[in-house]
Amino acid sequence: MAIGITQIDLNNSKSGFYYNDTQMMIDKYLLGDHSLETINALIKELIDDELPFFAEEEFPYTELSRCNYTVISESTLKKLQQNKMLPSLLKYSSDMYVNFKYENNEFIHPEGEKNYLHSNMPCMVYFQNNRVTFFILDEDGDAYFSYSLNYEDLK
């Protein structure tokens, strides 16, 4: 289940400004560099600098950035939706990235290491122009976030 859905506006930080490294990655992305290297660097900067403004204090941020993110497959998105891990209204996009593999209804380390959930938290990140939406997933459903989105937010 998605324990948190948080949307970040790359043009408007919740704190009022982005740190230099984060702003540099945002600028690079907004100027058209959508390489996997830039996407991963930007995701990690946003996790470190922006997500703390949305989650409870004890939220384990580092567990979101221990694995690199890759483009989600359409079949994985459908499986996650069928298992009610992601909203069914989401349409597949190659601008959706995950830090896991999903096989046999389980989150698996993308590089095959054992015990993925012991030190990682599954997450899908959806880039839409200047908005980045984090879908924090958890098999147990413990809620750390309290912000909801509606269909219009995801168009």
Side-chain angles (χ1 to χ4, degrees):
M1 120 183 337
I3 60 168
I5 302 173
T6 299
Q7 194 167 76
I8 295 173
D9 182 343
L10 297 178
N11 294 321
N12 186 18
S13 170
K14 188 155 176 103
S15 69
F17 69 95
Y18 288 110
Y19 292 107
N20 290 340
D21 288 346
T22 305
Q23 188 62 58
M24 183 179 73
M25 294 311 305
I26 290 171
D27 293 343
K28 194 172 181 180
Y29 171 79
L30 291 176
L31 289 172
D33 183 348
H34 297 176
S35 67
L36 203 50
E37 181 181 335
T38 298
I39 293 294
N40 270 288
L42 179 53
I43 288 171
K44 289 176 182 181
E45 289 291 333
L46 292 172
I47 288 169
D48 289 344
D49 296 341
E50 196 67 9
L51 274 187
F53 292 103
F54 292 91
E56 291 179 9
E57 193 171 306
E58 69 270 6
F59 183 77
Y61 305 102
T62 58
E63 293 181 7
L64 295 171
S65 58
R66 289 191 176 130
C67 294
N68 284 326
Y69 285 74
T70 58
V71 176
I72 191 173
S73 70
E74 191 167 0
S75 64
T76 298
L77 177 68
K78 286 180 182 178
K79 285 181 204 171
L80 290 167
Q81 289 173 319
Q82 289 168 351
N83 292 330
K84 301 192 184 325
M85 299 295 275
L86 286 171
S88 60
L89 56 91
L90 283 175
K91 291 185 173 39
Y92 176 77
S93 169
S94 60
D95 295 319
M96 295 174 167
Y97 301 86
V98 293
N99 64 349
F100 59 86
K101 288 184 179 179
Y102 193 67
E103 298 173 359
N104 300 319
N105 298 334
E106 290 184 23
F107 293 106
I108 308 293
H109 193 284
E111 295 162 7
E113 294 180 23
K114 296 189 184 270
N115 300 321
Y116 170 79
L117 290 174
H118 180 70
S119 60
N120 297 281
M121 183 169 289
C123 181
M124 184 182 84
V125 183
Y126 183 18
F127 283 80
Q128 301 165 279
N129 300 318
N130 66 317
R131 294 182 303 175
V132 179
T133 307
F134 284 80
F135 295 86
I136 315 297
L137 307 176
D138 184 68
E139 291 176 333
D140 298 328
D142 296 330
Y144 288 98
F145 291 75
S146 59
Y147 302 94
S148 61
L149 298 176
N150 62 40
Y151 180 71
E152 293 301 313
D153 293 324
L154 299 171
K155 283 186 176 180

